[in-house]
Amino acid sequence: MPTYKAAVIGLGRMGSTFDDEVTQSASVFLPYCHAPSYAASDKTELVAGADPHREQRAIFGERWGISSDHLYRDYQEMLEKEALDIVSICTTARVRHQIVVDVAGSGVKAIWAEKPIALSLAEADEMLRACDARNVVLAVNCARRYNPYFAEMKRMINEGILGDLLQVTAYAHCGISHNGSHALDALRFLAGSDVKWVFGEMESDEAAASDNDLMGNGYLSFDSGVTGFFRGLPGGVAEWEFDAIGTKGRVRSLANCQEVEWLHLKDTETRKRGLPARSTILLPARIQGMGLSIIDDLVECTQSGRRPRCSGHDARAALETAIALRESHRQGGVRVELPIRDRTLRILSGEIREDNVPARIRRMRLAKQRQ
């Protein structure tokens, strides 16, 4: 198997050191973020990084053994000087669109980008055109598609263990674009089809009137006939939970995968129609890190020509669904059909706030001030 030369643009937490913060988690399997996954994979060699912030470059170089002559302030210089196969883009979403377009034009085979894919539908459209025109594989880190619990839920749905799928539900207290992209993409993943139309209810009329990220609820109608429900407003103890209901069974991921249960009907001597029985979902004894699964997927896609498990097209669909939910509220609670005609519509993802200084650097400076 050939080694793919990899680099990271945006050398912050998700680009480099998020895994160092994880001590206990049922929803994250390490290695998870970009640099540690490239370092651990037998398919890739981490060779370079780019970030306009000197502190970020210094931390990245020391952490991953990258010499200063392979660390760049300008990602364009890195693309010119390094012979790269895969590039991760872990910057703020404010600049992600142009970087993806530039990287796609540089001759790489694949891109692994953070979410949300972009701020506007027009930006997302251009990103996909740039990648598709050059046969560049684009994966976006809506990572629940690579989580083993969600993979098992999807297998049970695909194999008919739940019967005919009727409904999928997500509880995720979040902005509908930033972390909401995870929840909306997971609903599409479980439903296995595209959203036809939505009704949306946002946190307030004032929030819906702006382009800022916001919380809200939604009703989703999928083209397969499955019904979807999204709760992005506070859900009490039901936070980051997913539920798939079929004619023969139900599978739920509770408390961000801390517990996963399967309910199915079991006939008894007194009741032939069946009573609900609860079973556990067993996973393999050894679970591969989710970042490694993404890299394996990317490499296989460069060879087969298929789209990755979470493609740029999937990520655009999540953004489009979020915008449709907000537009439904803006227009007085009307049904909004997808695809959306006005491609200039946007949501300013919550993660771009104060993005002139990286979040990790802000935290480090604050910690020094408190000493």
Side-chain angles (χ1 to χ4, degrees), residues 85-317:
D85 300 301
I86 304 176
V87 174
S88 280
I89 301 172
C90 308
T91 65
T92 168
R94 191 187 304 275
V95 295
R96 189 172 300 137
H97 145 254
Q98 188 59 54
I99 297 175
V100 167
V101 171
D102 291 340
V103 172
S106 71
V108 303
K109 295 180 175 69
I111 296 171
W112 177 10
E114 273 302 313
K115 53 77 194 166
I117 185 172
L119 301 183
S120 73
L121 294 176
E123 289 179 349
D125 292 343
E126 185 179 3
M127 293 161 76
L128 296 187
R129 284 195 298 269
C131 292
D132 290 348
R134 297 168 178 82
N135 295 317
V136 176
V137 178
L138 174 60
V140 177
N141 201 29
C142 289
R144 280 170 177 78
R145 289 184 183 243
Y146 298 92
N147 178 289
Y149 290 108
F150 280 82
E152 182 64 10
M153 292 172 70
K154 182 64 171 174
R155 182 192 68 81
M156 295 173 73
I157 292 169
N158 288 348
E159 293 183 4
I161 295 173
L162 303 186
D164 295 330
L165 187 63
L166 303 173
Q167 176 181 311
V168 290
T169 303
Y171 301 89
H173 181 188
C174 59
I176 61 175
S177 174
H178 179 29
N179 281 327
S181 59
H182 281 303
L184 292 170
D185 180 69
L187 288 176
R188 290 186 67 252
F189 176 58
L190 294 175
S193 59
D194 291 322
V195 178
K196 287 197 307 182
W197 52 265
V198 305
F199 286 111
E201 172 210 12
M202 299 296 100
E203 60 184 89
S204 69
D205 292 344
E206 292 75 19
S210 81
D211 285 342
N212 293 330
D213 211 346
L214 72 170
M215 295 184 292
N217 298 327
Y219 177 100
L220 286 61
S221 176
F222 291 91
D223 56 18
S224 62
V226 173
T227 297
F229 294 94
F230 166 74
R231 182 170 180 85
L233 289 170
V237 297
E239 187 168 334
W240 286 103
E241 298 190 350
F242 294 84
D243 190 1
I245 300 174
T247 55
K248 296 180 180 179
R250 176 181 190 177
V251 61
R252 298 196 296 169
S253 165
L254 306 174
N256 213 6
C257 287
Q258 292 185 55
E259 181 182 355
V260 180
E261 66 176 19
W262 169 34
L263 298 175
H264 52 96
L265 298 178
K266 185 176 180 62
D267 287 347
T268 66
E269 291 184 3
T270 58
R271 185 172 180 179
K272 298 302 181 184
R273 288 189 302 166
L275 290 172
R278 178 178 287 123
S279 298
T280 58
I281 292 180
L282 299 178
L283 295 180
R286 291 181 175 86
I287 297 175
Q288 177 170 270
M290 292 158 67
L292 294 179
S293 296
I294 294 174
I295 290 172
D296 288 349
D297 192 31
L298 278 173
V299 169
E300 199 280 325
C301 288
T302 66
Q303 299 167 355
S304 69
R306 69 166 177 83
R307 289 179 182 173
R309 195 181 305 177
C310 185
S311 70
H313 293 264
D314 294 313
R316 179 178 62 180

Side-chain angles (χ1 to χ4, degrees), residues 8 22 25 37 41 64 119 140 222 269 275 281 289 298 319 328 337 344 370-371:
V8 179
V22 179
S25 176
S37 298
S41 173
W64 303 110
L119 301 183
V140 177
F222 291 91
E269 291 184 3
L275 290 172
I281 292 180
L298 278 173
L319 175 63
S328 174
E337 308 277 344
T344 67
R370 290 174 175 173
Q371 291 178 351

